[in-house]
Amino acid sequence: MAESLENPRSGAKAAALDRYAEAGVDIVAGNAAVARYRDVLAGWRHPDQLDAIGGFAGLFRMPGDGERALVASTDGVGTKVLIAGELGRYGGVGRDLVNHCVNDILVCNATPLFFLDYLAVGRLDPDAAAEIVSGCADACRAHDCALLGGETAEMPGLYARDHFDLAGTIVGMVRVDAIPDVTTVAAGDAIVGLPAIGLHTNGYSLARALIPRPEWGEPFGDTTYADALLAEHPSYYRAVRAIQAVATVKTMAHITGGGLLDNVSRTLPRSCKAIFEQQRWRVPPLEAELVRRGNLDFEDRYRVLNMGIGYTLVVPFTEAPAALEVVPGAVVIGWIESRAEGDPAVVIHPARNER
Amino acid sequence: MAESLENPRSGAKAAALDRYAEAGVDIVAGNAAVARYRDVLAGWRHPDQLDAIGGFAGLFRMPGDGERALVASTDGVGTKVLIAGELGRYGGVGRDLVNHCVNDILVCNATPLFFLDYLAVGRLDPDAAAEIVSGCADACRAHDCALLGGETAEMPGLYARDHFDLAGTIVGMVRVDAIPDVTTVAAGDAIVGLPAIGLHTNGYSLARALIPRPEWGEPFGDTTYADALLAEHPSYYRAVRAIQAVATVKTMAHITGGGLLDNVSRTLPRSCKAIFEQQRWRVPPLEAELVRRGNLDFEDRYRVLNMGIGYTLVVPFTEAPAALEVVPGAVVIGWIESRAEGDPAVVIHPARNER
């Protein structure tokens, strides 16, 4: 779904999906809100604001410095917080949040500088709060990123006694000449996919509707539903830097709400489309289970869920083997073709047993 | 209350107050959380992080630039959102939030660069969301600050259908040699106070407990309780810049949660204390009403409420008249004295009729 490139706003978008709407997330309203935001913001744009790539982060020219830009993004972890709160497992959501934000600005090729968190609670439990902030601190430190501050708000009446919400903002930096240029993408380029680990931070309203609370403690494959649902959103920072050292990375996408269909399309030139072949990678068990339980149609799967791919990179065809070699689990999941008028920006060919 | 200067975290502090606790805000837990955060963050500090002043914002050395620092702060508007939501008046909270953030980094003398919002809702109403973001955009533009991005999250199950939460992060810039130096504060300096307009963004859990919903539409002085409660948090940016043009500003404080007692003390050297004389300014009607209804004791009033002062500046005694001349409503509300071992950092002399 299109969103204002000039003022990236995520979350309100996500998928046009019946199952999702039944779970309480209204995509029509989301699209309407994004359109209204565009109107609100149409009146004025700061002269130091640069065009963002696909709306994952905002770009701001470093004042008095023609060579560098600041890159910022705000995000939350969605209703994953309800599962974490219910199970009293707080550390993971802090890492989820920081890693999500790191990946968002990585699409602009930015290196993290600092992060600030917002933690809102119904009743402040110092141990739980410390565990959440500690998770943020761990993930910040792993990226040599300062945890520069934060706000903890106790808001009775807005949050139920044991509920909390968690959001955060990251600021990074990039050389202006190192900002990915989507116009370099060309037919024949390969698309490398990096494996997702669980749902990351999207689709939890749907997952909670399809896998009810009483089942969370039950075994699920080698693990439990709880463990599978709370699997941590990985950072792709080191993998991307490793690939950039051996291959030309033309454009990237972080596969969040909107899935492969919406996120990849936002980072392509109008002249190109992305073709994915689902048989080239394995759909993880939790996603497969949600597809089965929700009887999700093909389009729905690839809008609400990541379906096993967390991050994509477009590289020249001949350089793809080098990229795969440096990142275990990386797979060529598709390629770029010329896009004719009226073609969709993203096509996903199902695996044979899914047709 | 002390908080980590190295990692400013606000909100969890606020006041040690029985009435506040009855309203659902637990100060003992807040203090415990801040102590736990300090432990969490004690292990590592990014080398580019600078000491913050009073914990209003975080400071980060601009990479590759010895002369400037980035200044960032995250904040929310507290349970003022419940009043705004209940009354369907959404525009003000966006301005409240941005102005709050502007004032927080202004304590470090920072000029705003960009802002990002986080809006979480139970059910997405595109009109309400656009009104909130429009309020943010207005206040950003008034400060020549980019609204660089944001996140809108629809989170059924966490937020009630018509509830929302709003938080935001601002990033500004300051020359390192223009960061206020609290050690320049000396006995005999004057403290200039800038008038508050209503409760700003603090004390709303208490206010909602003392002024119940059915009364909001009723007249209150020249206005209604609703209007008084939703009065917008002003920005002190222009007033401070005007005063800096005519007087030496040594240190400043934004009077948020914690009131004059906690916020001013955080911006003084250990060798100094602040003496305020309440008879030098007028306590606004809404604060007076809350004091009356809640039978708030003196200490309580000055920890949970701003009591009519929104921002303070310490200037040399002889330069105070020039400061007052350029900002209508500015008043000398107190002065600096030497602080002996064991003295409180802030003393407030009540007005005669309050003793």
Side-chain angles (χ1 to χ4, degrees):
Chain A
M1 193 207 61
E3 71 167 8
S4 166
L5 295 184
E6 296 200 345
N7 196 279
R9 314 192 66 82
S10 55
K13 46 191 172 49
L17 174 66
D18 289 345
R19 297 295 315 195
Y20 216 38
E22 285 165 22
V25 179
D26 179 351
I27 298 311
V28 176
N31 291 350
V34 170
R36 295 292 311 273
Y37 292 159
R38 204 178 289 121
D39 294 341
V40 164
L41 300 167
W44 181 70
R45 175 173 137 141
H46 194 287
D48 286 328
Q49 200 173 334
L50 302 174
D51 287 336
I53 298 167
F56 292 92
L59 283 158
F60 192 88
R61 199 185 300 278
M62 190 99 88
D65 179 341
E67 291 180 7
R68 298 182 299 175
L70 295 168
V71 186
S73 184
T74 289
D75 228 302
V77 290
T79 53
K80 195 173 189 172
V81 294
L82 289 171
I83 300 177
E86 182 74 29
L87 296 175
R89 290 169 56 174
Y90 299 104
V93 289
R95 288 182 287 273
D96 282 323
L97 176 63
V98 172
N99 290 344
H100 183 132
C101 288
V102 165
N103 295 339
D104 272 352
I105 64 169
L106 186 59
V107 170
C108 295
N109 202 18
T111 300
L113 296 178
F114 56 81
F115 177 88
L116 302 95
D117 65 272
Y118 173 72
L119 172 62
V121 300
R123 186 186 54 87
L124 183 56
D125 171 348
D127 291 330
E131 217 178 310
I132 292 167
V133 172
S134 182
C136 292
D138 289 349
C140 281
R141 186 166 185 181
H143 294 92
D144 194 30
C145 172
L147 179 51
L148 199 62
E151 161 82 1
T152 301
E154 189 170 26
M155 298 172 76
L158 182 59
Y159 296 95
R161 194 174 160 80
D162 291 319
H163 281 183
F164 70 97
D165 196 8
L166 178 66
T169 300
I170 197 165
V171 175
M173 197 175 57
V174 64
R175 288 202 332 273
V176 172
D177 63 8
I179 298 171
D181 177 0
V182 299
T183 67
T184 62
V185 175
D189 286 341
I191 307 176
V192 173
L194 304 182
I197 302 173
L199 303 183
H200 292 185
T201 43
N202 286 101
Y204 279 91
S205 291
L206 179 65
R208 287 183 305 114
L210 296 176
I211 304 175
R213 169 71 180 96
E215 289 188 54
W216 293 352
E218 289 179 19
F220 177 63
D222 299 339
T223 178
T224 62
Y225 282 108
D227 285 341
L229 287 166
L230 290 179
E232 291 178 19
H233 195 148
S235 161
Y236 295 104
Y237 186 79
R238 281 180 178 73
V240 167
R241 292 293 185 242
I243 290 174
Q244 287 174 320
V246 298
T248 310
V249 174
K250 297 182 167 188
T251 189
M252 302 181 271
H254 183 202
I255 310 308
T256 57
L260 277 174
L261 285 169
D262 283 346
N263 288 287
V264 172
S265 60
R266 296 195 274 145
T267 61
L268 295 178
R270 283 176 193 282
S271 60
C272 290
K273 63 183 172 192
I275 312 293
F276 295 102
E277 281 187 344
Q278 206 282 287
Q279 66 195 6
R280 290 170 175 261
W281 77 93
R282 177 180 152 272
V283 174
L286 181 58
E287 274 89 340
E289 179 72 15
L290 291 173
V291 166
R292 193 186 63 74
R293 290 189 181 210
N295 192 23
L296 303 182
D297 70 27
F298 194 77
E299 166 123 340
D300 295 344
R301 301 172 203 172
Y302 286 94
R303 276 218 157 77
V304 179
L305 304 175
N306 61 53
M307 296 298 281
I309 299 297
Y311 199 91
T312 59
L313 307 93
V314 173
V315 301
F317 179 76
T318 55
E319 299 181 26
L324 303 192
E325 204 163 294
V326 293
V327 176
V331 184
V332 172
I333 57 174
W335 60 90
I336 300 293
E337 287 185 5
S338 291
R339 181 180 178 194
E341 189 73 32
D343 278 1
V346 172
V347 175
I348 301 173
H349 296 305
R352 219 151 297 156
N353 59 2
E354 285 187 312
R355 280 173 206 277
Chain B
M1 193 208 61
E3 71 167 4
S4 167
L5 296 184
E6 297 201 345
N7 197 278
R9 313 193 67 85
S10 56
K13 46 188 170 52
L17 174 66
D18 288 347
R19 299 296 314 196
Y20 215 37
E22 285 165 21
V25 178
D26 180 349
I27 299 311
V28 176
N31 291 351
V34 171
R36 296 291 312 272
Y37 291 160
R38 204 177 289 123
D39 294 342
V40 164
L41 300 167
W44 181 71
R45 173 172 139 142
H46 194 286
D48 286 328
Q49 199 172 336
L50 302 173
D51 286 335
I53 298 167
F56 291 93
L59 284 158
F60 192 87
R61 198 185 301 279
M62 191 99 87
D65 178 341
E67 292 180 8
R68 298 182 299 175
L70 296 168
V71 186
S73 183
T74 289
D75 228 302
V77 290
T79 53
K80 194 171 189 173
V81 293
L82 288 172
I83 301 178
E86 183 73 31
L87 296 174
R89 290 169 55 173
Y90 299 103
V93 289
R95 288 182 287 274
D96 283 323
L97 176 63
V98 172
N99 290 344
H100 183 131
C101 288
V102 165
N103 295 338
D104 272 352
I105 64 169
L106 186 59
V107 170
C108 296
N109 202 16
T111 299
L113 297 178
F114 57 82
F115 176 88
L116 303 96
D117 65 271
Y118 173 72
L119 173 61
V121 300
R123 186 186 53 88
L124 183 57
D125 170 349
D127 291 330
E131 216 178 310
I132 292 167
V133 172
S134 183
C136 293
D138 289 348
C140 281
R141 186 166 184 179
H143 293 92
D144 193 30
C145 171
L147 180 52
L148 199 61
E151 162 81 1
T152 300
E154 189 170 27
M155 297 170 76
L158 182 59
Y159 297 95
R161 196 175 160 82
D162 291 320
H163 281 183
F164 70 97
D165 196 7
L166 178 66
T169 300
I170 198 164
V171 175
M173 196 177 57
V174 64
R175 288 200 332 273
V176 172
D177 63 9
I179 297 171
D181 177 359
V182 298
T183 66
T184 61
V185 175
D189 286 341
I191 307 177
V192 173
L194 304 182
I197 301 173
L199 302 183
H200 292 183
T201 43
N202 286 101
Y204 279 91
S205 291
L206 179 65
R208 288 184 303 113
L210 296 177
I211 304 174
R213 169 71 182 94
E215 289 187 52
W216 294 353
E218 288 179 19
F220 177 63
D222 299 338
T223 178
T224 61
Y225 282 107
D227 284 342
L229 286 167
L230 289 180
E232 290 179 19
H233 195 148
S235 161
Y236 295 106
Y237 185 79
R238 282 181 178 71
V240 167
R241 292 291 184 243
I243 290 175
Q244 288 174 320
V246 297
T248 309
V249 174
K250 296 181 168 189
T251 189
M252 302 181 271
H254 184 204
I255 310 307
T256 57
L260 277 175
L261 286 171
D262 283 347
N263 288 288
V264 173
S265 60
R266 295 195 275 145
T267 62
L268 296 178
R270 283 176 192 281
S271 60
C272 290
K273 63 183 172 191
I275 312 294
F276 294 103
E277 280 188 344
Q278 206 281 286
Q279 66 195 6
R280 290 169 175 263
W281 77 93
R282 177 179 153 276
V283 174
L286 182 58
E287 273 88 340
E289 179 72 13
L290 292 173
V291 166
R292 193 185 64 72
R293 290 188 182 213
N295 192 24
L296 304 181
D297 71 26
F298 195 77
E299 165 122 342
D300 295 344
R301 301 171 204 172
Y302 286 93
R303 266 198 222 286
V304 179
L305 304 175
N306 61 54
M307 294 298 281
I309 299 297
Y311 199 90
T312 60
L313 308 92
V314 174
V315 302
F317 179 75
T318 54
E319 300 181 28
L324 302 191
E325 204 163 292
V326 294
V327 176
V331 184
V332 172
I333 56 174
W335 61 90
I336 300 294
E337 287 186 5
S338 289
R339 181 181 179 195
E341 190 72 32
D343 280 1
V346 173
V347 175
I348 301 174
H349 295 305
R352 219 149 298 157
N353 59 2
E354 284 188 311
R355 277 173 208 277

